[in-house]
Structures are given as structure tokens and as C-alpha cells.
Amino acid sequence: MSVALRERREELELVAAEAERARAGAGRLVLLRGATGTGRTALLEAVAEQAEAAGMRVLRARCSPDQTSVPFGAVFQLLAHGPGFDSAAGEEPDPPGTPPHRGRSARLWRLLRGYADDAPLLVAVDDVHLADGSSRRWLVEAVRRIDRLRVLMVVTERSQYDIDPPADGLVHTLSPALVRTRTLAPLSADSAAELVRSALGRPAPADWVDDCVRAGAGSPLLLRALLDDIGGTAPEAVPAALPDSCAALYPGSYAAAVSWWLDSAGPTTTEVARALAALDDDEEDDEKDGDGEGGRGGYGDADAGLLARMAGADPARVPGWLTAMTGLGLLRPGPGGRPRYAHPLLRDAVLSSWSGALRQLAHHRAAEAMLRRGDRAETVAGQLLRSAPVGEAWATGVLVDAADRAVRDDRSDDALAFLRRALDEPMPDARRSVVLTELGSLEYATVRSTAGIPRLAEAMRLPGLPRDRVRAAVALGTALARRGEARAAVDVLRGLEDEHLTGHPDLVRTVHTASALLSDHDPGTRREVYRWLRETAERSPQLVGTAGQALLVRYESTAGLTSAASAMRRIRALLARPADPLAEGFLLGTAAAVAQWADQLDEAERLVRRGLAGQRPSLLHPMHLALLNVRVDIAAARGAYAELLADPRVLSPVVGRPDPANAQAHALIALVETGRTEEATRLADGFDLQNPYESWELNRFLYARGVLRAATGDPAGALGDFLECGRHQSARDVASPVVTPWRTASAECQLALGRPRQALALAEEELRLATVWNTPRVLGRALRVLGTATGGRRGLELTERAVRVLRRGAGGDGAPDGTPEAASESTSESTSEPASGEASDGGGGTVAPGGEPVDTELIPALIAQGRRLTAAGERARAREALREAAERAERLGAVRMRAMAEAALREGGARRAATARTGSGSLTASERRIAELAAQSRTNVEIAELLHLARRTVETHLTSAYRKLGIRRRAELGAALTDAGSRSGPPEEKRA
């Protein structure tokens, strides 16, 4: 059976039965109704063939829109070949008021009766809804009389819910007894699938067949056209997938069929169908972007009115049309129940015949309608992206607001699209400058190194408010500095200050601060800028401002001119002052960096969060990246290697920069410490340092590469990197080890190369500088390396002092079993205890309290102590120190340092390297105590206060406990501790 006659057996049987009645002299009308494309014409042809085969004479007429103005045009088609027709057709029209039983109508009726006298008749009229008025009236009168004639009348009529109300049907005034009506349903999915497979003639994937069924939408017309195109496109093989675009189909039967379907529905329905396709297209884009709620262009339950406004249609009829089209299979419920086209190919076919200008106008109307009803800015902007320029201020505002939201949601591609579209709208120069600044910043940050700079330069040329001009200048300067053009960046800011900021001292201070920060990318420029900043601060502090003074604190911290305690006092005093909003980001970022160097990591973290919250992420700002860098520095200081490496941005190059950045340096060290040296080598080799930018980040990467080379058995190569790092830092007036401890690292390489004298000199200089800064981390590291370089009993004393200093910096968690109570007992030296809040350095001085875990330095200090104790013959104490180091390294996930501790244990004669790595027996006393409190539903803050620990210490211990117990959630702690406690006793220790 053909496509059009599938599932039409009942209709054919009905007509056959009525034909039998007609041959017996009891004629009737059979009305076959159906939507466009349901196969009405094909069924009528089959009915005619069936009647002819049964001996009936068939009179045919096919109505069309072209004949609606010709009186009796359809009737003339029916009776055109009988005797007497020519005279009836050639008569003049009846005068007005002629009764039905007289005139041309009566003579045509008599002509039909004459045909019936000769043989039973089948009168077949296709598309009777298109018949002229005279023919419709004649047919209605004929139906009223044929019940005693050998005449069966079968007519087809379009029956579909359109936007424009339809005219009365043919049988509107007829008695139901005279008419048998059948409504043709769309093809079922099973029948459509069977037809697809049959037409293809070869096996096809089920998903591909289902795609064809959906694109056919239950319409024999569309399905047949689609199969024709598929046969022409791929006559010998099944296409890999049904395309979403009609452009991929040849010869184009499907698109032509859809166009005919639209024409049949009328212009208003066509416009609504196209408007729906346009919105459906937006919705498809949103799903690809992961916004299932149609954030940029989707529509919901109330959007029947939106469709009506887009198409200029009656809003009362659009919901009914959506329901009807869903019932026919042309639409299907999408996400949230929204009606959508059954297949993208169908939607594309609806749109393909729509001109670009009309489509843009529809999207313009949609945007206005969405704006009036209060839709989200992104939803309205999604329509504006597809419209021509509106020419009104509201459009620019909507697009900029949508870009802001997209930036906050980390959807930079959407933000770029909105801002680029905003530039198509007319706006004042000051407004355009702001938009260009936003767009240029985003383009530079997300596309490539040179993108965005022309936009920012144009923003600088346009007139605008002084504050906005400063933002544009800072963004342009940031882009230039990141390209290695720090001198040009500073010149841009100076030029702005000289020409446009007279009378704005707050903005002048912001420009000075930005200049100082951007000068970090070039040693020569940095020295010049900071010299001016220091001199100005001495003469006129008000010209520098709080942010500038914070930068001077940062400068003195790195130059080895101040202590951590003094630096933090000054920074906190500056934070307590009122700050200009434009300069506050500079102050917070600088304060966070100093706090991180001072081992005040929780405070630094709070400052980073506050600073990032106040940043406008769509604008290039030197402090935005600085804050992100401090956040990475904090994670590295805590030894949070897994956290560092989990961030994909850490292992990937910064957009627009061929040289390594701070994040890659920390990632390199994290890979080394976690035992992934091959990955670290690939990362290091991925950067060409032949002609790098002279930035502080290069120094950090040189240090990290030196760590990698030292860990892989290349002390000479490592020494070269460390010394080069030091040379670059010295050129920038950076002497303090708070940035990169290149001297201690170089000293260790010198020792490995058999040069103790050079190592000792480097270590002593590091201790001198560390004593100035005076925090546990830098002081403990310097004491450790000096002790290793010194050797003997004095070396042991120095390493033990390093351990004591670092235990204090670890927040009191210092005993081998991890208990805070034992912290002061772990070193039985006869040194006096320092005052509260200070730690003894073991030599009569005090260390500024860190209050944060410093395991990254305590572990190597314990290893150094263990080695010195082993050399001194104190093997029992050595094993205690080394086992603690291995345990702490295990907790930290520091594979390299654990291996070093275990190697030292074996060298000292221990038969087992360390405690168990997993299970209850592997928990330290601190881990067990903290885990038990957490199992009692206490928060991390409560546990920290109860045990007098830093919150981060609690988090570190809990993370380690989770790993050892093999759990992931806090709720599992109780059961894990109970089960593990019932199965495990204390770990057995075997000693040499």
C-alpha cells in the first residue's frame, strides 16, 4: 500500500458500502476531512478507481484557489463531458433572485440526473473548501436530492485548526442523515517507520528511522517528500544521520512540501508557524549551551501571546493552534512541556522560505513583547541578537545587562555576543566607550593576545566620564603589560593623568597605583615607578593613597626591609581606612599578598574573596589576576596539591601568553611533590624560555623548574635555574625569601654537587633575610638548610630549632602523635618559652606567629632532623622524627617527601618505613579526635575553637581521615570509626 493510503482501509470500506447503497438508488454524501498533507487527494483517487472497477461512472472535479471567482467552475468540471453541457455552460448567468428550480442551476441538476439514468455515478470533488460559491450551493442542493438517485458523492475538505477562523464547511446546513463523515488521522509512528524501512529497501538504524518519522510528522505528504530526497541524496547507502538543514537534501522535495503546507494554512497561520520556528531555533541554541530553561530566547506557557505579537495574530487562537499541531504530530512537547517542532529539519524547512528582513522584524517584536512582560535581560537580548538594530536606548541597556549576567555565570561567549550586538545600536560616545571597554577586556581575556586591544584603544579615544576613562586606561594598560609592554602600559596611564584627570585626585591616585602594579612586568620600569612612589610617599602621603601605601608595604616586604609583624600592622591599619571604590581592589589584592607571605593564610583567603567579589570580572584589571594568583599561592603554601591540580586552568597556559604564569609554576611543583614527574617534565618542556617576558612569574617558573630538575637527579641544571631566578629577582629589588627561596634551594644543589662552602654562604644569607621577615615558614626553612650545610652537632641544633619554629607555625599540632598538648614536649631543649603569641627560634629570639599549617616546610625539616640524629647515633629519636615526617607527608599527599622520609628510615636501620597508610590504625591522634568530633555533628569552626586549632588545620585532618577510612561524606564518619575501631587495634611498631 502506498504512503498516502496507509491506515486508510476503513475509509475505503466505508465508501465501498455506500457505493452499494447508491447502486440500489439510495445515494448519499461521504465527506473525507483531514489536515493538509494527510492524503485526502490520494484517498479520493483510490475511491474513484474502486468505483470504476465496480462499474460506476466517475465524475471528477478538483477545486483550486484560482477558480473561486468562476461561477459553477467546480460543477462544470464534473459535467464537462456529457450531452447538453455546452449549452448549459454557455448561458448567461441567472439574474438575481432566480429560484433554485429554475435557471442554470436547475438545468445542471437535470444534466446530472440524466447521467445517473444511464449508469450509477460517483461524484468525486477534491478540496471542496476551495470551490466557488455557486458550486458549493449547487452541491449542497444536490446532496439533499440524491438520496433517491444512483449517485454517491464523495468530497474531500480541509479540516485543520488555523489562526484565522475557517468558513462554514460544506455540510454545515445538511442533515446528518445525508452525510457520512470520516476524519483522516495522521500516520501512526509504527506505520511511518515501516514505510521508511520499506522505501529504503535495506536495514537502517532505529534512531535514524525514528528521526525520519519525526521529520515526517505523521503526514504522508511530508514523509513521501522526505523519502524522495533521501533516495536522491544517498541512493546506495543509509545516510549517517538525518540532517538538521534542508540545504543538505536534494532535490528539495521536502522543503517544497513544507512550503505548500504553509501556503495551504493561510498567511496568518504561516507567520505564527515561522515565529514558533524562530523561537524554537533560539531554544535549540540554549540547549546546546546547557541552558535548559531557554535563558536567551526560549518561551513558556504564557508565550502564545508572544507568538501572536510576533506574527500580528489573534492571541486567543494561538494556544488552540499549538494544541492542534501537537495532536497532528508537527509539534512535540519540549523541555518544560513547551511545544516545539518534532524535528530540527522540519523547523528549518519552515524558516527556509522566510526572508531575513521579516525574520529580524519578528525577533524585534519578540524582544519588545518580552521586555514589556518583564522577561530576563538575557531572554530579551537573545531576540535582539537576531534582529536588526532597534535604534532605541532600551536595546543597549538590555544587551549590556545580559552581558553582565553572562559574565557572572562564566559564559563569556554569550557576553561577547551581547556586547558586540550592543555596538550595532546608536549610543552617545561616553556610553560607547564603556561598552568598548567591557568588550575589549573580554575579547583580550578569552580570545587571543591581540584581540580586544583595538577596542580598548578606541574606548580611550572617545570622550567620557573621568572614572570611565580610568577604567579603560587600566584595562588597556593591563592588556599591554601582559604582552610584555609594561613601559607602554605605564605611558598610557601617565598620558591619561596629564590630559584628563585635573581636579580628580582620587583618580590620579588610582592611576599611580595601577602604574606601580603594571610595572611588575618590567624590572627597569618597576624600579623607576617605585622610586617615584617612595619619594612621593615621603613628601606627600596623600598623593599616594591607601592602595599606594599598601604597595609600598609589599615592596619593602619583598626587598627585605621590614618584618612580617610590622607589615601586617601597617596593612591592617590601611584596611581600616575608608577606600575609594575604584582603588579598593588594589588595596585588597596587595593586602592579601602580604598576608599570605606572613603565613596569615585564612586572613589572606578572606581578603581574596572580598577582592574578587568587588571586581567587575568583565573588565581587565591587574588586580583581578593578582587575586587569583594569591589564591593559588595560598593553596600551594598549604600543600593542597590535589586542590591545585584539580583546577584545569592551573595546568593550561594563560590565554594570550606564550610564557609560563604563576599558576603553572605551582602546578609544576605540585606535580613533583605528588610523584608525577613525567607530567611535570611535559609541562615544563611546553614553554620556550628563549625570549620570555621579564616578569616576576618567569622567576617563579624558573624556581619551579629547578625543583623539578633537582627531584629528577639534575642538581647542576637545577642550580642554574635557581641562580637565574635569583638574578632576575635581584634586578627587581626582591631580596626576601618570601617570594621564592632560591638561596636555600641553590644551597642544597651546591651540597649535592660537593660545594659546602658555597652552600654555607647561601644558607647564611638566607637566614639573615629570613630573620628580618621573621615568620615560621621562611625562618624554619633557612634554619633547616643551614643545619644541613653546617653538619655536626651544630647542624643538629639548627635543624632542631627549625622543627621547633615550624611546629609553632603549625598551630600547635607539633608532637609526633599529632596532639596539640604534646607540642611543647616534643623538643626537650632548655630554652625558655617565649611570650604568648610568639614562638622561640631556639636562639634567644622570637618568631612572628603564623597560626597556619606549614607542613610543606615542617616535613623536610623533620627529615633533615632525622638524618642529623641518625648521623649523631640517636637512632630512636631519628626514627620518631622520620616517621612523623612520613605520616605528615602521607596526610598531605606529598609522595616525594614521603619517599624521602622512608628512604631515610631505611638508611637508619628501620625495618618498616612508616605506619599504615589506610584504615583506623593509620589515623593520628589528632585525626581521630577531629573525626570523632565531626561525627558528633560539630562544624569545622566549632572543632577549631574547641581544640584551639586553625580552621584549615581541621579541614586538612578531616580530608586525610576521609582518605584513610575510605569514605567521602561526613555522615559516614560515625559508622567508619565504629567499624574500624572494632576491627583494629593500635598499630604495631617494629624497630630495628
Side-chain angles (χ1 to χ4, degrees):
M1 188 175 291
S2 70
V3 172
L5 297 181
R6 283 277 175 164
E7 300 180 341
R8 301 295 182 245
R9 189 177 303 279
E10 291 183 4
E11 286 78 7
L12 291 171
E13 290 175 351
L14 170 65
V15 173
E18 292 301 323
E20 289 296 326
R21 285 173 47 87
R23 283 194 292 270
R28 195 145 51 182
L29 170 66
V30 175
L31 175 63
L32 302 175
R33 309 174 70 210
T36 300
T38 49
R40 300 188 312 269
T41 299
L43 179 57
L44 187 62
E45 288 298 320
V47 164
E49 292 175 6
Q50 181 177 273
E52 287 178 337
M56 299 181 73
R57 182 179 181 183
V58 178
L59 305 180
R60 291 180 172 86
R62 180 168 295 162
C63 306
S64 70
D66 298 336
Q67 295 180 338
T68 54
S69 61
V70 180
F72 292 102
V75 180
F76 290 166
Q77 288 187 59
L78 290 172
L79 306 177
H81 303 292
F85 169 76
D86 291 338
S87 60
E91 294 178 357
E92 292 294 327
D94 294 334
T98 303
H101 60 281
R102 295 181 180 276
R104 180 186 290 183
S105 178
R107 285 187 287 278
L108 291 171
W109 168 249
R110 289 194 294 272
L111 189 59
L112 178 66
R113 287 191 59 179
Y115 291 169
D117 290 339
D118 294 338
L121 292 180
L122 173 71
V123 177
V125 183
D126 194 18
D127 289 341
V128 72
H129 56 283
L130 298 176
D132 61 277
S134 299
S135 294
R136 287 173 62 84
R137 290 190 293 272
W138 186 89
L139 290 170
V140 170
E141 287 301 320
V143 173
R144 293 193 176 107
R145 301 180 189 183
I146 62 174
D147 58 336
R148 296 184 180 275
L149 297 178
R150 295 188 300 167
V151 177
L152 173 63
M153 188 178 295
V154 181
V155 304
T156 67
E157 186 177 61
R158 185 177 181 276
S159 175
Q160 183 172 305
Y161 193 101
D162 293 320
I163 302 300
D164 291 328
D168 293 337
L170 181 70
V171 301
H172 178 67
T173 60
L174 292 175
S175 167
L178 300 174
V179 183
R180 296 293 300 276
T181 302
R182 298 291 295 194
T183 299
L184 307 184
L187 282 176
S188 68
D190 289 342
S191 289
E194 184 181 345
L195 282 168
V196 171
R197 285 189 284 265
S198 175
L200 200 62
R202 50 193 177 276
D207 290 346
W208 187 86
V209 172
D210 181 62
D211 269 359
C212 291
V213 170
R214 289 192 293 117
S219 166
L221 169 74
L222 299 184
L223 187 58
R224 183 172 59 245
L226 177 62
L227 293 172
D228 287 346
D229 283 345
I230 290 173
T233 304
E236 298 180 355
V238 178
L242 195 65
D244 290 348
S245 169
C246 292
L249 294 177
Y250 179 81
S253 302
Y254 181 79
V258 172
S259 179
W260 183 82
W261 170 76
L262 289 172
D263 290 342
S264 300
T268 308
T269 300
T270 299
E271 291 303 306
V272 173
R274 287 168 171 165
L276 174 62
L279 291 179
D280 200 5
D281 192 27
D282 298 343
E283 186 81 3
E284 186 82 9
D285 289 345
D286 290 331
E287 287 188 5
K288 291 176 182 177
D289 294 338
D291 185 357
E293 295 301 318
R296 286 197 295 144
Y299 58 97
D301 295 339
D303 287 274
L306 175 61
L307 288 172
R309 291 187 187 96
M310 290 178 70
D314 181 0
R317 291 190 62 82
V318 173
W321 182 82
L322 292 171
T323 301
M325 294 303 101
T326 302
L328 289 174
L330 290 153
L331 304 180
R332 289 191 176 191
R338 300 169 177 138
R340 299 179 60 181
Y341 281 96
H343 192 275
L345 185 64
L346 178 57
R347 181 196 66 235
D348 182 71
V350 172
L351 285 174
S352 62
S353 58
W354 206 13
S355 72
L358 290 176
R359 190 183 304 190
Q360 289 179 343
L361 178 61
H363 286 296
H364 181 174
R365 291 172 177 168
E368 290 180 327
M370 289 175 172
L371 184 69
R372 281 197 298 270
R373 73 181 187 185
D375 281 9
R376 293 187 307 159
E378 288 176 278
T379 305
V380 181
Q383 298 301 318
L384 292 174
L385 288 180
R386 294 164 168 82
S387 74
V390 173
E392 298 182 26
W394 66 264
T396 305
V398 164
L399 289 161
V400 172
D401 289 346
D404 287 344
R405 175 60 185 269
V407 168
R408 289 196 299 272
D409 293 344
D410 199 23
R411 292 184 289 106
S412 55
D413 287 346
D414 286 347
L416 287 170
F418 292 141
L419 290 173
R420 287 167 181 158
R421 172 62 182 79
L423 290 179
D424 294 336
E425 298 292 337
M427 65 186 84
D429 285 344
R431 177 69 159 164
R432 183 171 294 276
S433 174
V434 172
V435 174
L436 283 167
T437 301
E438 298 262 356
L439 178 56
S441 297
L442 270 177
E443 284 182 334
Y444 179 87
T446 60
V447 183
R448 59 186 184 276
S449 60
T450 58
I453 290 181
R455 308 267 197 194
L456 296 170
E458 183 182 354
M460 285 288 298
R461 288 193 295 269
L462 293 173
L465 297 174
R467 186 171 294 267
D468 292 333
R469 294 184 68 86
V470 168
R471 287 194 178 99
V474 168
L476 178 58
T478 303
L480 292 172
R482 290 187 190 176
R483 292 179 59 194
E485 301 176 32
R487 171 67 64 180
V490 172
D491 288 345
V492 166
L493 291 166
R494 285 174 176 169
L496 178 69
E497 176 188 350
D498 295 340
E499 296 179 19
H500 302 285
L501 299 184
T502 303
H504 298 277
D506 54 336
L507 297 181
V508 171
R509 287 193 293 268
T510 298
V511 167
H512 291 164
T513 304
S515 298
L517 197 62
L518 293 176
S519 71
D520 281 344
H521 294 270
D522 180 78
T525 306
R526 184 178 190 272
R527 285 194 298 270
E528 177 186 328
V529 170
Y530 273 95
R531 185 186 309 113
W532 178 91
L533 198 63
R534 295 170 70 186
E535 293 172 355
T536 304
E538 291 175 1
R539 296 193 312 270
S540 307
Q542 71 279 4
L543 296 180
V544 175
T546 55
Q549 292 179 49
L551 281 175
L552 287 175
V553 174
R554 191 190 73 156
Y555 173 85
E556 292 174 12
S557 300
T558 59
L561 302 176
T562 186
S563 68
S566 174
M568 287 306 300
R569 281 195 299 270
R570 293 164 64 189
I571 284 292
R572 286 165 181 154
L574 291 171
L575 287 169
R577 298 181 191 175
D580 180 75
L582 207 58
E584 187 177 26
F586 293 101
L587 174 60
L588 292 172
T590 305
V594 174
Q596 183 265 317
W597 293 332
D599 288 345
Q600 304 299 316
L601 302 187
D602 280 346
E603 183 173 355
E605 198 167 44
R606 288 192 296 271
L607 290 167
V608 167
R609 285 198 298 267
R610 182 178 160 193
L612 289 175
Q615 289 282 317
R616 189 178 180 87
S618 58
L619 286 178
L620 272 179
H621 195 285
M623 197 47 76
H624 181 74
L625 183 58
L627 287 163
L628 296 178
N629 277 326
V630 174
R631 188 163 65 184
V632 174
D633 293 344
I634 293 170
R638 287 171 170 158
Y641 304 126
E643 177 186 328
L644 266 172
L645 297 175
D647 186 348
R649 291 171 296 188
V650 169
L651 290 174
S652 58
V654 176
V655 174
R657 295 184 55 171
D659 59 325
N662 181 53
Q664 281 85 56
H666 283 306
L668 195 57
I669 294 175
L671 289 170
V672 170
E673 296 299 343
T674 53
R676 298 155 62 178
T677 53
E678 290 185 2
E679 291 180 63
T681 301
R682 287 196 296 272
L683 177 61
D685 292 344
F687 294 99
D688 181 9
L689 301 187
Q690 294 299 316
N691 295 293
Y693 298 153
E694 288 283 344
S695 70
W696 67 268
E697 291 176 287
L698 170 65
N699 306 341
R700 181 69 57 84
F701 190 81
L702 286 170
Y703 174 81
R705 193 173 68 177
V707 171
L708 169 63
R709 288 176 168 173
T712 52
D714 181 15
L719 179 62
D721 280 340
F722 293 141
L723 293 177
E724 183 69 6
C725 170
R727 185 182 68 79
H728 284 288
Q729 285 197 183
S730 299
R732 303 168 62 82
D733 296 333
V734 175
S736 175
V738 296
V739 180
T740 49
W742 64 270
R743 292 180 184 85
T744 50
S746 299
E748 290 179 306
C749 291
Q750 296 283 19
L751 287 173
L753 293 169
R755 303 167 185 168
R757 188 181 309 171
Q758 293 90 327
L760 193 62
L762 287 164
E764 288 173 342
E765 177 65 9
E766 182 89 331
L767 180 59
R768 184 187 68 79
L769 293 166
T771 304
V772 174
W773 184 244
N774 204 30
T775 59
R777 187 184 304 274
V778 297
L779 193 56
R781 179 172 53 227
L783 287 167
R784 166 180 62 86
V785 177
L786 181 59
T788 302
T790 302
R793 175 56 61 177
R794 177 60 179 162
L796 175 58
E797 292 174 357
L798 290 169
T799 55
E800 288 182 333
R801 286 170 57 190
V803 170
R804 285 198 302 275
V805 167
L806 290 165
R807 285 195 192 285
R808 283 290 183 178
D813 185 12
D817 67 353
T819 60
E821 293 88 342
S824 62
E825 301 173 4
S826 60
T827 55
S828 55
E829 300 291 327
S830 59
T831 56
S832 60
E833 288 297 320
S836 175
E838 295 180 336
S840 171
D841 68 358
T846 59
V847 184
E852 289 280 357
V854 288
D855 275 6
T856 52
E857 292 300 335
L858 179 56
I859 294 167
L862 286 166
I863 295 172
Q865 181 190 28
R867 290 185 183 277
R868 298 261 55 83
L869 286 168
T870 299
E874 300 184 46
R875 293 179 178 271
R877 288 185 62 204
R879 283 195 293 270
E880 289 180 3
L882 293 171
R883 283 196 173 96
E884 181 185 354
E887 178 186 294
R888 287 181 178 271
E890 170 67 17
R891 181 191 305 162
L892 206 61
V895 175
R896 184 179 74 91
M897 287 192 285
R898 179 182 173 89
M900 291 171 61
E902 291 176 341
L905 276 166
R906 288 192 297 272
E907 292 167 6
R911 278 181 275 173
R912 198 176 74 173
T915 57
R917 298 188 182 206
T918 59
S920 175
S922 68
L923 293 180
T924 66
S926 291
E927 288 170 347
R928 179 177 292 280
R929 184 183 300 107
I930 290 171
E932 288 170 348
L933 290 172
Q936 297 169 14
S937 300
R938 295 182 184 269
T939 67
N940 291 358
V941 173
E942 291 172 340
I943 296 171
E945 292 175 352
L946 188 65
L947 298 181
H948 306 290
L949 298 173
R951 177 184 60 80
R952 191 69 188 192
T953 302
V954 174
E955 294 172 356
T956 302
H957 281 63
L958 273 178
T959 300
S960 177
Y962 284 2
R963 183 174 66 251
K964 291 178 179 180
L965 294 173
I967 62 175
R968 293 187 177 184
R969 299 177 181 84
R970 202 183 193 94
E972 301 176 67
L973 272 171
L977 289 170
T978 301
D979 181 60
S982 66
R983 291 185 286 103
S984 304
E988 178 184 358
E989 296 219 357
K990 295 181 180 179
R991 300 175 184 264

